[in-house]
């Protein structure tokens, strides 16, 4: 195998590994959904609906309808969680 073929093969292998990882990451992201009202204090995934904070881990109370966590798609209801719309309605009560 000449040096040009060797470099081409190595580059092709590296690119295929990178694309495979990106595809796996995309599928993993698609398989998740935001589930509101199930987090423990300090265990939220990002900003809440009320706007009182903008980062993960800043929930001050557990099961707050404004706080959310990513869960496997289709499992939120079985955890007694809510969609964003349901959480907004619960916050108004």
């Amino acid at each position: 195998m000449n040096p040009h073929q060797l470099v081409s093969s190595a580059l092709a292998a590296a690119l295929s590994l990178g694309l495979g990882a990106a595809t796996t990451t995309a599928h993993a992201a698609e398989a998740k959904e935001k589930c509101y009202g199930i987090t423990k204090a300090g265990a939220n995934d990002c900003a809440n609906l009320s706007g009182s904070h903008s980062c993960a881990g800043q929930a001050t109370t557990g099961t707050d309808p404004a706080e959310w966590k990513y869960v496997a798609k289709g499992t939120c209801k079985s955890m007694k969680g809510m969609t964003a719309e349901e959480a907004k309605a619960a916050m108004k009560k």
Side-chain angles (χ1 to χ4, degrees):
M1 185 178 268
N2 71 37
H4 180 68
Q5 288 175 321
L6 185 62
V7 170
S8 295
S9 295
L11 183 58
L15 287 175
S16 68
L17 288 174
L19 291 176
T23 302
T24 302
T25 303
H27 287 298
E30 290 173 16
K32 302 267 185 198
E33 66 182 332
K34 289 181 180 180
C35 189
Y36 292 84
I38 64 163
T39 62
K40 295 179 182 176
N44 63 299
D45 278 341
C46 205
N48 64 4
L49 288 175
S50 64
S52 64
H53 67 77
S54 61
C55 290
Q58 293 187 347
T60 57
T61 60
T63 66
D64 183 343
E67 305 292 350
W68 62 272
K69 187 165 190 69
Y70 277 121
V71 298
K73 192 159 185 81
T75 63
C76 184
K77 291 297 176 190
S78 66
M79 297 176 175
K80 309 247 187 285
M82 300 174 273
T83 65
E85 292 76 28
E86 293 167 335
K88 288 175 186 175
M91 289 170 53
K92 291 179 182 178
K93 292 180 182 179

